[in-house]
Amino acid sequence: MFKFLKDKSFNFLKISIQNENYKDAHRYVHTIKGICQNLSFSKLYESSYQMTNEFKNNNYKKALDLMPQLSKDYYQIIDAINEYQMFKEK
């Protein structure tokens, strides 16, 4: 779970979207989806699954429209892991 904090896929996804490189964006969101499936991060899995499907079907506008929800879900996970890590260290 703590290794998720070091994964760069989300940052690379944002950069790919900014550069309109949707092939790479699809790859990075697909990576996020796989990691979330393995770690049972259900909400982030669902939003990354939806975005992956939209990229897969070349529905770039729909995929981009999902980015705010994916970002929200991502940062909820990051915050929860950080909070747990601080609690564990006390």
Side-chain angles (χ1 to χ4, degrees):
M1 173 177 71
F2 296 115
K3 288 183 181 181
F4 185 76
L5 297 173
K6 296 179 183 177
D7 183 77
K8 302 293 183 200
S9 299
F10 183 75
N11 292 330
F12 291 143
L13 170 63
K14 291 191 309 184
I15 292 167
S16 297
I17 287 172
Q18 289 172 349
N19 293 330
E20 298 182 6
N21 183 343
Y22 301 133
K23 180 181 177 184
D24 282 351
H26 178 226
R27 182 173 45 135
Y28 292 122
V29 76
H30 188 270
T31 299
I32 293 167
K33 180 187 78 147
I35 293 168
C36 291
Q37 186 174 26
N38 289 337
L39 294 173
S40 298
F41 294 160
S42 305
K43 277 181 87 175
L44 183 54
Y45 170 78
E46 184 59 36
S47 55
S48 60
Y49 173 83
Q50 290 174 6
M51 185 181 266
T52 298
N53 282 344
E54 297 302 341
F55 275 126
K56 179 180 172 184
N57 293 318
N58 298 320
N59 295 325
Y60 303 130
K61 176 158 179 11
K62 286 184 181 181
L64 299 177
D65 288 345
L66 294 168
M67 190 61 186
Q69 183 63 51
L70 185 129
S71 293
K72 179 182 173 188
D73 297 342
Y74 175 82
Y75 286 113
Q76 282 181 334
I77 293 292
I78 295 298
D79 291 344
I81 294 171
N82 283 327
E83 189 174 314
Y84 178 76
Q85 192 171 31
M86 287 190 308
F87 175 77
K88 186 179 172 195
E89 291 173 356
K90 287 184 178 182

